[in-house]
Amino acid sequence: MTSDTAPSGAAPRGSRRRWAPAPFLAPGMVVLSLFVAVPILLITSYAFFTRGRFGGVQFTFTLDNFARLADPLYLKVIATSVGIGLIVTLLALLLGYPTALVITRLPAKWRTIALVAVLLPFWTNFLIRTYAWILLLNNAGWINQGLQAVGIIDEPLTLLYTQPAVVVGLLYMYLPLMVLPLYSSLSAQDAQLAEAATNLGSSPWRVFRTVTFPLSIPGVLTGCVFVFVPAMGNFVIPELLGGGKTVLIGNLVRDQFLKARDWPFGAAIALVLTIMLLLLLFAQQRASRRVTEGPAERKVTTRA
């Protein structure tokens, strides 16, 4: 006969197992605490204080920093950021989904090469990639030269320092963040499901619509969150490709900290952006769980 009672003076066996991974998790927890938790706590606390007379923070509690976000000027910036973020996300999905789908259909050797090609831009400096787009989009750039050479246009088009240039730059920068989750989701699908649907007479379009795409929704949602949030908060690309004419939330936060020296208001904007990110991640998790576990739950409900 066995007993679960631990000897006197010794920790219970279950408790030991529970804390066994702690030494391995400790370094990661320390890094997360220092570089994630502490900055978020600082931003959260600054958001509820007032601006000092010469900048900085005066520790007087106020909610005015959040009330200022209702100003039409800032609402316009938020609306522009959300609009550009949605456009970039939609374009990234339209381009990234077929790209990821084709990669999953490639032989293993070419699949690896294609994934490396997708990740290749990340191995180049962010600013160098952005300046490369300046060379392409300016009046004397390759795009205008090419269009003039084939006779499509007579005068150079104004491509640089426009909102479409910002969209193109953001799309180029964050497209891999859409392709990789989609590839992971599509490659994890059981190929026999699509094969069974085909054998039962479904057309390729119907197989995609009823089998492939519904099962890839978790990857779609993850990719959308990965693209939408950084696209909305980026401030370098709007500055370099948009010429400062397009102001996004990221530009607003930077200006409050570095130019206006209004740290509490900048912290309030950053806090709102962080809360939006958490809400999106929560919604993505809920939707993904509903997709992956929904059939099982319905089956249990039906049996009950």
Side-chain angles (χ1 to χ4, degrees):
M1 180 178 177
T2 59
S3 174
D4 294 336
T5 305
S8 177
R13 188 174 300 173
S15 177
R16 288 180 183 174
R17 289 179 179 174
R18 191 178 304 125
W19 291 103
F24 302 99
L25 295 175
M29 296 302 294
V30 170
V31 171
L32 286 175
S33 300
L34 288 176
F35 298 106
V36 178
V38 171
I40 289 178
L41 287 175
L42 280 175
I43 286 175
T44 305
S45 61
Y46 283 2
F48 292 95
F49 294 128
T50 58
R51 178 179 181 272
R53 185 176 178 182
F54 301 104
V57 180
Q58 185 175 341
F59 296 99
T60 305
F61 181 82
T62 181
L63 294 176
D64 289 346
N65 297 316
F66 297 96
R68 287 174 62 187
L69 287 172
D71 188 293
L73 176 66
Y74 301 125
L75 288 179
K76 183 181 178 182
V77 173
I78 295 172
T80 303
S81 303
V82 172
I84 288 182
L86 288 175
I87 292 172
V88 172
T89 304
L90 180 61
L91 293 175
L93 180 61
L94 292 176
L95 292 174
Y97 199 100
T99 303
L101 192 59
V102 168
I103 292 175
T104 59
R105 302 290 192 269
L106 292 174
K109 174 187 171 184
W110 291 105
R111 199 181 308 158
T112 305
I113 295 174
L115 286 174
V116 171
V118 170
L119 291 172
L120 202 57
F122 281 124
W123 299 347
T124 310
N125 184 274
F126 179 85
L127 286 177
I128 291 176
R129 283 180 282 159
T130 306
Y131 276 109
W133 275 105
I134 294 178
L135 296 177
L136 289 173
L137 295 175
N138 65 38
N139 289 349
W142 290 358
I143 294 177
N144 272 316
Q145 286 183 6
L147 293 175
Q148 285 179 299
V150 297
I152 296 178
I153 57 173
D154 296 325
E155 298 292 330
L157 299 174
T158 304
L159 302 175
L160 194 60
Y161 305 139
T162 60
Q163 209 167 80
V166 175
V167 171
V168 169
L170 292 172
L171 177 62
Y172 168 76
M173 205 62 64
Y174 297 121
L175 183 59
L177 298 182
M178 177 66 79
V179 174
L180 294 179
L182 284 171
Y183 169 77
S184 176
S185 179
L186 289 168
S187 61
Q189 290 183 12
D190 188 351
Q192 292 183 345
L193 294 174
E195 186 179 344
T198 303
N199 292 337
L200 290 173
S202 297
S203 63
W205 168 244
R206 189 172 184 185
V207 171
F208 172 78
R209 187 167 50 85
T210 58
V211 178
T212 305
F213 185 75
L215 292 177
S216 67
I217 287 179
V220 171
L221 296 174
T222 304
C224 288
V225 173
F226 282 2
V227 173
F228 178 71
V229 174
M232 201 173 55
N234 191 291
F235 63 91
V236 176
I237 291 176
E239 194 75 30
L240 295 180
L241 298 184
K245 299 175 185 174
T246 303
V247 180
L248 303 185
I249 293 179
N251 302 93
L252 194 58
V253 173
R254 181 206 55 184
D255 291 346
Q256 295 305 316
F257 275 99
L258 300 182
K259 295 182 179 178
R261 293 184 58 78
D262 194 346
W263 293 9
F265 185 47
I269 303 169
L271 182 61
V272 170
L273 193 62
T274 305
I275 292 173
M276 288 176 62
L277 169 63
L278 293 176
L279 291 176
L280 285 173
L281 288 175
F282 177 73
Q284 180 262 333
Q285 288 289 332
R286 294 264 303 179
S288 298
R289 191 176 301 165
R290 181 169 296 181
V291 170
T292 54
E293 298 179 0
E297 290 179 354
R298 283 197 293 271
K299 189 183 291 183
V300 170
T301 306
T302 304
R303 287 180 179 175

